[in-house]
Amino acid sequence: MKISVIVPSYRRFWPLINTIQDLQQQNYNDFEIIVVDQNQVWPEECEESLAKVRQDSRLVWLTLDKPDVVIARNMAVQQSQGEVLLFIDDDVKIPDQLFIANHAANFIDPNTHIVSGRECNPDSIPETKVDKIPQSSAYLEKIKTFSPLQQTLWFDRNSEHSTEVCTFSTCNGAIRKSAFLAVGGFDENFCGNSYGDDYDLILRLHQLGYKSIYDPRPWLIHLRVPMGGLRMSDLKNKVNYVNTATGFWLFLLRHGTFSMYWHLLYNHVLRKTVFLKVNLQRPWRQLYVIPGVVAAFFRALLLLRRGTKSGILICN
């Protein structure tokens, strides 16, 4: 089974090189690494190491002139050769050389379509390797009482226990390519520094009956590098609040329920815009943040009626 590992990257030069080097050490026979480079220029001090990692024939290097992580992921899928798509962030460390193999093992079951792996913090690295972790936790029993939306938002992807659950993350998540294409991939209406496209994807897949599981065996360490990527707290990342907040509103309008409306409004819209720490510390920024959030609401209403947007054709 061929695995396509997809890594979009923006302004994370050394972290990306380190991530690629970890992938190149993987003990799995059939995989490719697709990097979508959204950087105009690379620092001179990285050029030698970059040239070295790019010598690997398993590496496919794509470029995107205008940074847009959702378009980048969809573009990578268009170029992929694998039966399974494995999405990871560009600021992760992968110490386990069986990381890809552990993801692939889940897809032996033809009924499994989506797998989320464990996202460890640097201070919560697994001490021992195990072949199978039993589903025996009060936490898992509680999760089963949650709605699919609540599972998506609240499931702890650093859990030690495997389970069937409605969750997915592009930091460490694998999906059958056929399932991904069946819903047209990621919705490109989630643009700019917009989070939630992976949550939107899993909820659309769940509505069609695709099975998703969490497995802690394919684990990695999420370094959460403060610069680059989608970090809205990085002042060098230019944020268009109309584009960014459109995705936040779209998620709320598409998937929100009565009981979850205020939670989504505060946590998924306002905390990431008006109440974002960097904006509270610089109150003059609200002069364009607040109008952007309001304009984004009306834009999201229009996009909701139009449906998902993607350059990927939906399978019949």
Side-chain angles (χ1 to χ4, degrees):
M1 179 186 301
K2 190 178 184 69
I3 308 290
S4 296
V5 186
I6 294 174
V7 192
S9 187
Y10 178 59
R11 294 185 57 243
R12 287 179 177 160
F13 306 105
W14 284 116
L16 173 63
I17 290 173
N18 294 334
T19 297
I20 295 172
Q21 289 173 337
D22 283 350
L23 289 170
Q24 290 172 329
Q25 300 301 313
Q26 286 294 296
N27 185 11
Y28 188 75
N29 292 329
D30 195 6
F31 74 97
E32 62 179 353
I33 307 166
I34 305 179
V35 172
V36 186
D37 182 4
Q38 301 170 87
N39 301 290
Q40 294 282 340
V41 181
W42 274 69
E44 291 184 8
E45 61 268 23
C46 298
E47 290 180 354
E48 183 177 349
S49 296
L50 177 63
K52 186 175 181 179
V53 298
R54 290 188 63 174
Q55 292 175 2
D56 193 326
S57 61
R58 298 169 297 181
L59 182 62
V60 178
W61 198 273
L62 307 177
T63 57
L64 187 62
D65 292 336
K66 184 179 180 181
D68 191 309
V69 68
V70 179
I71 291 177
R73 293 192 187 108
N74 281 344
M75 183 173 73
V77 172
Q78 293 278 52
Q79 300 296 320
S80 66
Q81 300 296 317
E83 301 169 54
V84 171
L85 311 167
L86 174 52
F87 297 94
I88 66 171
D89 279 356
D90 58 351
D91 61 341
V92 300
K93 183 172 179 57
I94 310 174
D96 187 359
Q97 294 183 0
L98 294 177
F99 170 74
I100 294 178
N102 285 332
H103 262 297
N106 287 289
F107 293 97
I108 295 174
D109 178 359
N111 295 316
T112 297
H113 302 97
I114 305 109
V115 178
S116 293
R118 186 176 184 184
E119 300 170 21
C120 298
N121 300 316
D123 58 353
S124 63
I125 302 171
E127 296 180 357
T128 59
K129 294 181 180 179
V130 292
D131 293 328
K132 187 171 180 62
I133 299 177
Q135 298 182 26
S136 57
S137 167
Y139 172 72
L140 297 187
E141 294 302 316
K142 182 179 180 181
I143 284 293
K144 292 176 183 177
T145 68
F146 290 177
S147 69
L149 174 60
Q150 291 170 331
Q151 290 180 8
T152 299
L153 296 175
W154 297 341
F155 181 76
D156 179 11
R157 290 189 300 274
N158 193 7
S159 171
E160 297 179 350
H161 302 277
S162 59
T163 187
E164 182 174 342
V165 63
C166 182
T167 193
F168 184 71
S169 168
T170 49
C171 177
N172 181 10
I175 180 172
R176 290 190 191 274
K177 189 175 182 179
S178 58
F180 184 89
L181 296 178
V183 294
F186 294 107
D187 185 355
E188 293 174 11
N189 288 315
F190 289 80
C191 55
N193 299 64
S194 187
Y195 299 83
D197 54 287
D198 46 4
Y199 289 176
D200 171 75
L201 178 72
I202 185 59
L203 287 169
R204 287 189 284 124
L205 286 163
H206 180 83
Q207 290 168 1
L208 294 178
Y210 288 99
K211 178 181 176 182
S212 56
I213 68 170
Y214 168 77
D215 182 1
R217 290 174 295 174
W219 64 279
L220 51 69
I221 304 168
H222 192 189
L223 300 176
R224 301 184 185 277
V225 174
M227 64 170 285
L230 296 176
R231 294 284 183 266
M232 296 172 67
S233 56
D234 182 355
L235 296 179
K236 292 185 179 180
N237 275 359
K238 295 182 179 179
V239 181
N240 181 317
Y241 278 92
V242 176
N243 289 342
T244 295
T246 294
F248 299 155
W249 282 117
L250 186 60
F251 185 86
L252 183 154
L253 294 169
R254 180 179 289 165
H255 301 293
T257 59
F258 180 78
S259 62
M260 291 290 290
Y261 180 85
W262 292 109
H263 173 86
L264 289 174
L265 177 61
Y266 178 72
N267 290 282
H268 206 77
V269 179
L270 298 179
R271 281 188 62 185
K272 296 176 182 177
T273 55
V274 178
F275 298 149
L276 188 69
K277 184 177 180 180
V278 68
N279 293 334
L280 292 177
Q281 292 174 335
R282 297 164 177 81
W284 59 87
R285 291 166 63 101
Q286 304 292 358
L287 293 174
Y288 58 87
V289 173
I290 293 175
V293 173
V294 173
F297 171 75
F298 292 102
R299 183 180 178 191
L301 283 174
L302 177 62
L303 294 175
L304 184 68
R305 291 193 288 268
R306 293 180 178 177
T308 59
K309 174 187 175 183
S310 174
I312 297 177
L313 296 177
I314 298 179
C315 296
N316 295 321

